[in-house]
Amino acid sequence: MHRQLNPLILSLSAILLCGCSSKINRTLSPPADTKWVNVEIKNPSPYTKPFPLEVKYISHQCLKKRVSGFDGSVITEPSYNAIQIPLQQQSGDIWQGKVARVGGGSCKWTLSAVTLGIEYIEATHLGKDLVLGTAVGVTLEFDDNKYRNQWLKSVEGNLHLSPKYYPYIKEKKIDKIENSVSLFGKDDFLSLRAKNLRKITYNPLIDESKITKLIGNEKKIKGVYPKIIYPDGSIAPERTLFPNFDKVDRMKVK
């Protein structure tokens, strides 16, 4: 798997290393009457594949303690439980899975967040010896963390998403670093606040007729920066860090 780990999982891993996480019972046991979130993903290309659902549960029953890095005080906070749920391929390009809103167990786990999306699994048609880069998708926040989620758009009921993505090839020259290919969109990972969400349908679109490239330098030279070259041959302003999705989306390429 060449996908870069989601920041959600990375931050969670750091949390689990703190305090008394080893004493927490992370066994899930959804009750019979739990509500489910159904996920359906339509794989847009034979060169991509949906990755397993990254699911995070939270417990306000089994608390953990950590030492503050600011003043050394002991902070008590909820525990988290990260799991992956494999998607099952149905007919054709449809993949499905479901997530329990209530994870149950002795810690009374409840759903905190779900991350889903797609990634390249093969890209020889786009170039030779390309390393498969990062994934794209959406993260849905379910717990009522006002500090983290207050600015997110809220969704409920049945959610249908059809984001568009384009290939982004990074050609790095210094130290013979391998070239990579990823997808990029308006939001590589869209974040939404979920309220009473029952079903998520994710139907991404990929347009490989427009390829954006980042061309690295042959060697380190002061004042010389990598260039982002758009599908029509135009070059992004110097020191541009990320390609402009709207520019690519509007672009007419022969």
Side-chain angles (χ1 to χ4, degrees):
M1 186 71 68
H2 298 273
R3 179 169 54 88
Q4 177 178 312
L5 288 176
N6 191 298
L8 171 73
I9 300 299
L10 292 176
S11 61
L12 179 58
S13 299
I15 291 175
L16 295 181
L17 292 175
C18 302
C20 303
S21 60
S22 59
K23 298 179 182 179
I24 294 174
N25 186 344
R26 303 188 182 282
T27 302
L28 299 176
S29 181
D33 61 349
T34 188
K35 295 180 180 179
W36 295 85
V37 179
N38 294 290
V39 178
E40 181 176 291
I41 299 176
K42 184 176 181 181
N43 189 33
S45 166
Y47 304 109
T48 61
K49 183 180 179 181
F51 56 80
L53 301 177
E54 296 176 349
V55 181
K56 182 175 69 170
Y57 285 92
I58 187 171
S59 172
H60 296 277
Q61 178 80 13
C62 298
L63 303 178
K64 68 179 186 63
K65 296 181 180 180
R66 66 177 177 86
V67 177
S68 171
F70 294 101
D71 57 9
S73 61
V74 177
I75 299 174
T76 301
E77 57 191 9
S79 296
Y80 289 93
N81 189 1
I83 65 171
Q84 288 191 339
I85 299 178
L87 292 162
Q88 303 299 318
Q89 187 173 13
Q90 307 301 312
S91 59
D93 299 325
I94 301 300
W95 294 70
Q96 293 179 340
K98 64 179 184 177
V99 182
R101 290 289 303 268
V102 178
S106 60
C107 285
K108 298 182 180 179
W109 298 104
T110 58
L111 186 59
S112 174
V114 176
T115 297
L116 57 101
I118 60 169
E119 60 189 345
Y120 271 122
I121 57 171
E122 200 271 318
T124 55
H125 64 296
L126 296 177
K128 184 180 179 181
D129 299 327
L130 289 174
V131 174
L132 304 179
T134 56
V136 288
V138 57
T139 295
L140 295 145
E141 302 282 355
F142 285 83
D143 67 65
D144 190 23
N145 187 323
K146 294 181 180 179
Y147 176 77
R148 187 178 68 235
N149 303 335
Q150 62 179 327
W151 306 114
L152 298 181
K153 178 183 176 181
S154 294
V155 294
E156 57 185 313
N158 297 330
L159 174 65
H160 181 85
L161 297 172
S162 297
K164 183 185 289 185
Y165 302 107
Y166 296 99
Y168 185 33
I169 295 176
K170 298 180 181 179
E171 297 184 1
K172 299 182 179 180
K173 308 293 185 180
I174 296 177
D175 299 327
K176 297 182 179 179
I177 298 175
E178 293 178 298
N179 301 333
S180 66
V181 59
S182 301
L183 292 166
F184 84 98
K186 184 75 172 179
D187 296 286
D188 290 352
F189 268 94
L190 178 65
S191 293
L192 298 169
R193 184 177 184 181
K195 298 177 65 177
N196 300 317
L197 193 62
R198 297 186 298 270
K199 183 176 181 180
I200 308 161
T201 302
Y202 180 68
N203 186 10
L205 307 172
I206 297 177
D207 184 354
E208 291 186 338
S209 69
K210 300 179 185 180
I211 299 176
T212 301
K213 293 185 178 182
L214 181 143
I215 308 298
N217 299 330
E218 295 285 348
K219 56 184 178 179
K220 293 182 179 179
I221 302 176
K222 186 176 181 180
V224 179
Y225 304 93
K227 296 179 180 179
I228 292 178
I229 302 178
Y230 289 111
D232 65 354
S234 61
I235 299 175
E238 195 173 79
R239 301 193 190 188
T240 299
L241 298 178
F242 304 101
N244 186 316
F245 174 84
D246 291 332
K247 179 181 177 70
V248 175
D249 199 41
R250 294 191 301 264
M251 196 169 287
K252 303 296 182 181
V253 179
K254 296 181 180 179

